[in-house]
Amino acid sequence: QVQLIESGGGSVQAGGSLRLLCAASGRTFRSYDMGWFRQAPGKERDFVAAITWSGGSTYYADSVKGRFTVSRDNAKNTVYLQMNSLKPEDTAVYYCAAAWLSGRSYQQRTEDRIYEYWGQGTQVTVSS
């Protein structure tokens, strides 16, 4: 069992930066692959980024590639999402999620249905 709590959201102007944190409970956190998703009002939940259990591989949606960076510190049971050059279209509730995804493809890692555990979300608002 893993419990996830996101923090770090807020309101920024376009071009600004935010760092989201996802704090996990449970001794098995380091064995889970992690993902970040976001959901804007009236839209489906979309994949943002993912990182393998070891941190050795990362994956990004095309819309955030080059602007967002996902990382993790297994000693602190925390996953991070550094968001730079933010745009108004990045406005959404951001969620972190956990699952065992060994052997899964990039495409599979972008599908929210395969993630087992979810946080409650943190709001990010980017104004123009």
Side-chain angles (χ1 to χ4, degrees):
Q1 189 80 8
V2 176
Q3 291 185 324
L4 305 173
I5 301 177
E6 301 95 336
S7 62
S11 297
V12 295
Q13 290 191 325
S17 298
L18 283 173
R19 188 176 76 155
L20 304 185
L21 289 78
C22 174
S25 64
R27 292 177 296 174
T28 60
F29 166 76
R30 64 186 62 205
S31 65
Y32 281 88
D33 294 77
M34 301 295 294
W36 284 97
F37 290 78
R38 66 187 181 187
Q39 187 168 23
K43 296 188 177 181
E44 294 185 350
R45 187 161 55 188
D46 291 331
F47 170 77
V48 175
I51 187 167
T52 54
W53 66 271
S54 66
S57 294
T58 56
Y59 309 85
Y60 297 95
D62 287 342
S63 59
V64 306
K65 202 171 293 183
R67 300 188 297 124
F68 290 12
T69 303
V70 60
S71 61
R72 66 190 295 161
D73 185 339
N74 285 341
K76 296 182 178 180
N77 279 15
T78 303
V79 177
Y80 306 93
L81 185 67
Q82 178 67 44
M83 306 186 297
N84 298 328
S85 302
L86 283 162
K87 304 175 182 180
E89 51 263 44
D90 294 318
T91 295
V93 177
Y94 284 70
Y95 299 90
C96 66
W100 281 319
L101 299 178
S102 178
R104 298 275 193 163
S105 68
Y106 165 80
Q107 183 59 43
Q108 289 171 316
R109 292 173 187 272
T110 69
E111 298 171 4
D112 59 358
R113 60 183 177 86
I114 70 169
Y115 287 82
E116 299 174 68
Y117 303 104
W118 291 85
Q120 83 290 346
T122 186
Q123 176 71 45
V124 171
T125 303
V126 185
S127 58
S128 58

